[in-house]
């Protein structure tokens, strides 16, 4: 029987010379380490053997909240290899957020930093987790100590394409996060399609500067390099100057728009500096046309924008090279997210689900081998998000032009995308509304020069209560991941409402749009 374990496919793509460099760390205090393909293979085998030795039930969740490191990447590979389910968690999440994820996912193993072991292990043990390990950026911690006693040879667990490989939590419009279940087949099909679509070459070198707890850094970037047997220049933290300095040694870069905005502020960003690069890819949030144009002017290179989400991995991409399905079109167009990827179906529909004509705006729905299996332990929510004919409702609003280019023009979901991270206003409003003296609140996204979009909280006090905007923000900071904190808070006497009594967020967005101009 064929093994559809994603790790097996990635491993099969390792180059023949296993002593060649697979990952080199650059920038920051953990720079200068070189990991060969053999290192990736052996270390992931040892970690997989450690997981095997714990005799976990099949499909156990391995929840991981650690700083970015190559060892964290090895743990991801080991989890796939052992046939368990990887559950990455943003390092910014605080106790209340982690408590929810751990309670919901019931992981068999939790891996956290040494500094967080006290509170994380308390939450984990309370939820029934049997094993809590630590892993730090400097390669210390109990995870590697324990793995060191295990064999560096391991046969990947037999998995079907439909078997669960990862759960990615994505916030819900009602405020509670939903775990998107992605299978080995979802990710492998997407990685294979992107390898071809982006014309990966034998001599490609990827600059990896994104966090590895979300789809962009973990799947698009890592799978992209590994499935092509390409080395990575690895930054544990994005640094615009260090990244630009790497361009002469690399060929491919992937980033959210904020990364491009920050690199544009570097005087060293020139045509000459970027001459060795063949592909700059942007996604996770809308790339402003100004950024697209300025990048072209400064570097002579055209950013390729693509579109995806946790539930679907990648859906569309601007072409590279020409796409024969769309008349051999190879123009990367700013302001669009390009063509639907081969093998994926995308349609734009009206509220009743009827297809919209060319250029008309509607809801975006997708179907294909990339689309997830549903939300973890939320069958009703899953059913709601799929149509009868199996299309997933993305919650994004867009249109398709006569040549097949897709543009995203908005979202039907109430969501703010800040520096590439999703922030759900409902979650923030829920926290504010629980505070003493608060009658009601509304959080809206407004333009921001660095993060693209940030939240502004508009709050109403209960009769007789007096509220302090800074105290509200400080109280939020104590509870929520830092990137979710609104960048501005105002206390006002009332919120604009329509005749149905619903808060008119569009009016608030308009009123506060110049807050960070
Ligand atoms: C940091 N801060 C943010 C923020 N990141 N605020 C809003 N939005 C963000 N994204 C705030 C912190 O709260 C803190 O504020 C201050 O900035 C400094 O924090 P930091 O951690 O030092 O920030 P920095 O390292 O500069 O991080 C910025 C960043 C990072 C842009 C490098 O946000 C980032 O890596 N973004 C990429 C996200 C990503 O990978 N998305 C992919 C999702 S997958 P204070 O007040 O506390 O000091 C997906 C699917 C798809 O969407 O299609 O790809
Ligand atoms: P996430 O839930 O973090 O995976 O975020 C997915 C969402 O990011 C999508 O539903 C889109 O709203 C948004 N997104 C991703 N790529 C793009 C893009 N290129 N342009 C606009 N929005 C994007």
């Amino acid at each position: 029987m064929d093994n559809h374990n994603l790790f097996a496919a990635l491993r099969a793509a390792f180059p023949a010379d296993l002593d060649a460099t697979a990952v080199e760390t650059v920038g920051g205090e953990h720079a200068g380490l070189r990991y060969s393909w053999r290192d990736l293979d052996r270390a992931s085998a040892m970690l997989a053997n450690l997981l095997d030795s714990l005799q976990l039930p099949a499909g156990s969740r391995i929840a991981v909240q650690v700083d970015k490191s190559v060892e964290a990447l090895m743990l991801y590979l080991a989890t796939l290899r052992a046939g368990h389910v990887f559950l990455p968690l943003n390092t910014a999440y605080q106790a209340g957020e982690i408590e929810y994820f751990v309670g919901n996912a019931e992981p068999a193993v939790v891996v956290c930093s040494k500094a967080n072991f006290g509170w994380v292990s308390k939450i984990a043990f309370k939820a029934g987790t049997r094993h809590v390990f630590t892993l730090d950026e400097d390669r210390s911690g109990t995870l590697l100590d324990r793995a060191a006693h295990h064999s560096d040879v391991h046969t990947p667990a037999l998995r079907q394409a439909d078997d669960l490989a990862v759960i990615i939590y994505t916030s819900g419009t009602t405020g509670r996060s939903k775990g998107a279940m992605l299978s080995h087949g979802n990710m492998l099909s997407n990685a294979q399609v992107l390898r071809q679509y982006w014309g990966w070459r034998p001599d490609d070198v990827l600059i990896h500067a994104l966090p590895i707890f979300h789809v962009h850094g973990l799947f698009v970037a890592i799978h992209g390099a590994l499935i092509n047997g390409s080395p990575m220049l690895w930054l544990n933290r994005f640094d615009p100057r260090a990244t630009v300095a790497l361009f002469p040694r690399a060929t491919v870069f992937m980033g959210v728009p904020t990364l491009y905005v920050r690199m544009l502020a570097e005087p060293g960003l020139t045509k000459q500096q970027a001459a060795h690069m063949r592909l700059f890819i942007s996604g996770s949030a809308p790339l402003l046309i100004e950024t697209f144009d300025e990048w072209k002017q400064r570097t002579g290179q055209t950013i390729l924008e693509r579109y995806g989400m946790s539930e679907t991995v990648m859906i569309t991409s601007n072409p590279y090279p020409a796409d024969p399905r769309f008349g051999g079109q190879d123009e990367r167009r700013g302001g669009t997210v390009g063509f639907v990827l081969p093998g994926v179906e995308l349609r734009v529909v009206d509220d009743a689900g009827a297809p919209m004509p060319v250029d008309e705006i509607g809801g975006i729905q997708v179907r294909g081998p990339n689309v997830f299996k549903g939300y973890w332990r939320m069958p009703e929510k899953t059913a709601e998000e799929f149509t009868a004919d199996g299309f997933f409702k993305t919650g994004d609003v867009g249109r398709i032009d006569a040549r097949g280019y897709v543009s995203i023009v908005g979202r039907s979901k109430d969501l703010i995308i800040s520096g590439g991270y999703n922030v759900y206003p409902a979650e923030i409003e829920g926290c504010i509304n629980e505070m003493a003296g608060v009658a009601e609140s509304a959080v809206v996204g407004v333009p921001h020069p660095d993060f693209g979009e940030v939240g502004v909280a508009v709050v109403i006090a209960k009769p007789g209560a007096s509220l302090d905007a800074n105290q509200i923000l400080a109280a939020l900071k104590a509870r929520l991941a830092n990137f979710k904190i609104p960048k501005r808070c105002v206390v006002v006497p009332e919120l604009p409402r329509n005749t149905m009594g619903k808060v008119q967020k569009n009016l608030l967005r308009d009123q506060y749009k110049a807050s960070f101009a």
Side-chain angles (χ1 to χ4, degrees):
M1 191 165 58
D2 284 347
N3 191 357
H4 295 272
N5 188 317
L6 172 63
F7 176 81
L10 298 176
R11 175 65 187 83
F14 282 16
D17 178 8
L18 289 178
D19 292 316
T21 300
V23 188
E24 181 187 327
T25 59
V26 281
E29 54 181 312
H30 303 290
L33 300 173
R34 198 181 91 40
Y35 297 81
S36 66
W37 294 94
R38 197 184 304 283
D39 293 333
L40 286 194
D41 187 39
R42 290 176 53 187
S44 62
M46 291 162 91
L47 287 160
N49 282 319
L50 166 63
L51 294 175
D52 285 354
S53 76
L54 303 176
Q55 300 189 315
L56 311 173
S60 287
R61 278 76 59 209
I62 314 294
V64 179
Q65 190 197 30
V66 297
D67 283 323
K68 182 178 174 183
S69 68
V70 180
E71 287 69 27
L73 160 63
M74 289 162 167
L75 174 59
Y76 167 56
L77 297 177
T79 305
L80 294 175
R81 199 168 178 160
H84 292 301
V85 179
F86 193 70
L87 197 176
L89 294 165
N90 194 319
T91 45
Y93 291 145
Q94 302 210 43
E97 292 156 312
I98 295 294
E99 193 166 9
Y100 171 75
F101 297 125
V102 169
N104 188 250
E106 297 184 325
V109 175
V110 170
V111 185
C112 64
S113 66
K114 272 183 266 173
N116 291 349
F117 180 78
W119 64 266
V120 172
S121 61
K122 204 165 150 195
I123 290 170
F125 293 139
K126 203 173 119 199
T129 299
R130 299 265 302 279
H131 310 277
V132 182
F133 297 110
T134 57
L135 174 64
D136 276 3
E137 226 181 318
D138 63 0
R139 294 181 285 168
S140 64
T142 55
L143 182 79
L144 299 181
D145 291 348
R146 288 283 299 275
H149 300 289
H150 288 273
S151 158
D152 62 3
V153 178
H154 180 274
T155 306
L158 210 54
R159 283 293 171 271
Q160 297 302 312
D162 248 0
D163 285 339
L164 196 53
V166 273
I167 297 180
I168 302 278
Y169 274 90
T170 129
S171 299
T173 35
T174 51
R176 270 304 175 200
S177 288
K178 303 165 288 184
M181 301 189 288
L182 290 159
S183 67
H184 289 264
N186 288 149
M187 294 187 294
L188 181 58
S189 70
N190 214 235
Q192 285 168 334
V193 164
L194 292 177
R195 179 176 182 216
Q196 217 198 357
Y197 209 71
W198 290 342
W200 280 85
R201 298 190 318 211
D203 60 347
D204 270 327
V205 176
L206 174 78
I207 300 174
H208 195 299
L210 286 163
I212 56 168
F213 37 69
H214 287 305
V215 164
H216 200 161
L218 187 59
F219 304 150
V220 192
I222 287 175
H223 295 166
L226 295 186
I227 200 85
N228 195 54
S230 292
M232 291 185 259
L233 298 173
W234 182 273
L235 290 97
N236 283 356
R237 235 162 255 98
F238 173 66
D239 174 330
R241 186 156 303 167
T243 304
V244 170
L246 290 173
F247 288 171
R249 299 181 54 205
T251 58
V252 183
F253 175 80
M254 297 185 194
V256 301
T258 300
L259 272 48
Y260 287 96
V261 169
R262 291 188 182 184
M263 288 192 286
L264 279 167
E266 286 301 320
L269 183 75
T270 60
K271 284 197 173 79
Q272 196 192 0
Q273 186 67 13
H276 191 257
M277 295 289 293
R278 77 165 179 92
L279 187 53
F280 288 100
I281 299 171
S282 175
S284 309
L287 180 74
L288 291 181
I289 194 76
E290 292 82 358
T291 312
F292 176 88
D293 288 341
E294 202 185 334
W295 191 267
K296 201 175 199 167
Q297 193 216 329
R298 285 277 294 283
T299 67
Q301 304 241 7
T302 312
I303 296 175
L304 176 152
E305 186 169 5
R306 77 353 172 239
Y307 156 62
M309 58 193 301
S310 304
E311 289 92 334
T312 62
V313 214
M314 295 303 101
I315 303 169
T316 73
S317 170
N318 269 279
Y320 180 104
D323 187 333
R325 295 172 307 153
F326 295 92
Q329 183 71 36
D330 72 351
E331 182 194 337
R332 287 171 239 166
R333 281 213 203 155
T336 84
V337 292
F339 303 129
V340 64
L341 287 170
V344 181
E345 295 168 85
L346 180 151
R347 66 188 184 195
V348 172
V349 299
D350 65 15
D351 288 345
M356 299 298 287
V358 163
D359 274 332
E360 298 279 320
I361 291 170
I364 295 178
Q365 301 185 341
V366 292
R367 185 167 72 176
N370 55 315
V371 176
F372 75 136
K373 304 287 133 207
Y375 295 111
W376 172 255
R377 291 181 180 165
M378 289 188 185
E380 297 86 15
K381 196 78 210 154
T382 303
E384 266 171 40
E385 302 299 334
F386 280 89
T387 62
D389 58 351
F391 276 77
F392 172 64
K393 304 171 193 168
T394 62
D396 291 308
V397 173
R399 60 176 132 76
I400 310 177
D401 77 3
R403 287 163 74 185
Y405 284 93
V406 177
S407 303
I408 314 283
V409 300
R411 300 165 204 134
S412 56
K413 50 194 173 191
D414 190 10
L415 160 71
I416 299 167
I417 303 184
S418 190
Y421 287 141
N422 288 6
V423 179
Y424 278 83
E427 183 183 12
I428 321 299
E429 291 158 3
C431 286
I432 299 175
N433 295 348
E434 283 174 15
M435 293 178 195
V438 171
E440 201 186 352
S441 64
V443 173
V444 293
V446 300
H448 188 274
D450 184 30
F451 294 120
E453 198 180 13
V454 295
V456 170
V458 187
V459 186
I460 308 193
K462 278 187 179 146
S466 85
L467 291 174
D468 179 288
N470 288 329
Q471 275 175 11
I472 294 173
L473 291 179
L476 283 177
K477 265 188 190 168
R479 284 185 62 182
L480 297 172
N482 58 7
F483 63 87
K484 295 181 187 172
I485 311 302
K487 301 279 188 244
R488 185 178 175 200
C489 177
V490 287
V491 179
V492 298
E494 59 181 356
L495 294 171
R497 293 178 189 282
N498 64 16
T499 47
M500 310 288 288
K502 198 167 177 257
V503 175
Q504 290 175 296
K505 287 200 164 179
N506 53 332
L507 295 185
L508 290 175
R509 265 179 227 116
D510 201 47
Q511 188 177 348
Y512 294 103
K513 68 178 180 214
S515 296
F516 304 95

